[in-house]
Amino acid sequence: MIKVSDTARKKIIDLMKDDGFDATNDYVRVGVKSGGCSGLSYDLKFDKTKSEDDKIFVDNDITIAIEKKSFLYLAGTILEFSGGINGKGFIFNNPNANRTCGCGESFSL
């Protein structure tokens, strides 16, 4: 399961609307891919369809699709959004990450 904070929820709804998606019907696709300075990096995009390999979760009125192969890396993660002085963007608070890079966009297990 992935949790969505209130600040991330608001930003997701706004961004989905700007990109022609509907948060009540469409998906936030979250995944993990090879790359980044720590070995693995997060991937977040919007999607209108799901595949049979997806695990689907709903938290805070946001529907999240995760490919089964990425789910093991992301279980228990909290998706947050920061708009502060140090940067702006989505933050993955991942309890499975043993090491993260300085920017927080990549991790290793």
Side-chain angles (χ1 to χ4, degrees):
M1 176 108 189
I2 290 185
K3 299 276 187 187
V4 179
S5 73
D6 290 337
T7 54
R9 176 187 178 274
K10 182 180 180 338
K11 192 63 176 179
I12 287 168
I13 291 170
D14 291 345
L15 290 173
M16 286 182 94
K17 185 177 180 182
D18 291 347
D19 288 352
F21 291 89
D22 179 2
T24 59
N25 296 316
D26 299 325
Y27 303 91
V28 175
R29 182 165 298 283
V30 180
V32 173
K33 60 185 179 180
S34 295
C37 52
S38 292
L40 297 169
S41 61
Y42 299 106
D43 189 32
L44 186 145
K45 60 187 173 185
F46 305 132
D47 201 343
K48 292 185 179 283
T49 61
K50 66 176 181 172
S51 77
E52 62 183 50
D53 290 332
D54 288 338
K55 286 188 170 279
I56 304 296
F57 300 97
V58 178
D59 187 66
N60 209 358
D61 297 326
I62 300 296
T63 304
I64 301 168
I66 306 171
E67 288 182 25
K68 289 179 185 175
K69 64 182 180 179
S70 292
F71 176 71
L72 295 174
Y73 299 108
L74 296 170
T77 296
I78 300 171
L79 181 60
E80 299 188 53
F81 184 82
S82 173
I85 296 172
N86 292 334
K88 189 175 188 181
F90 289 100
I91 299 167
F92 292 82
N93 286 322
N94 186 344
N96 305 303
N98 289 333
R99 185 172 50 116
T100 60
C101 67
C103 65
E105 293 183 14
S106 68
F107 69 101
S108 66
L109 300 177

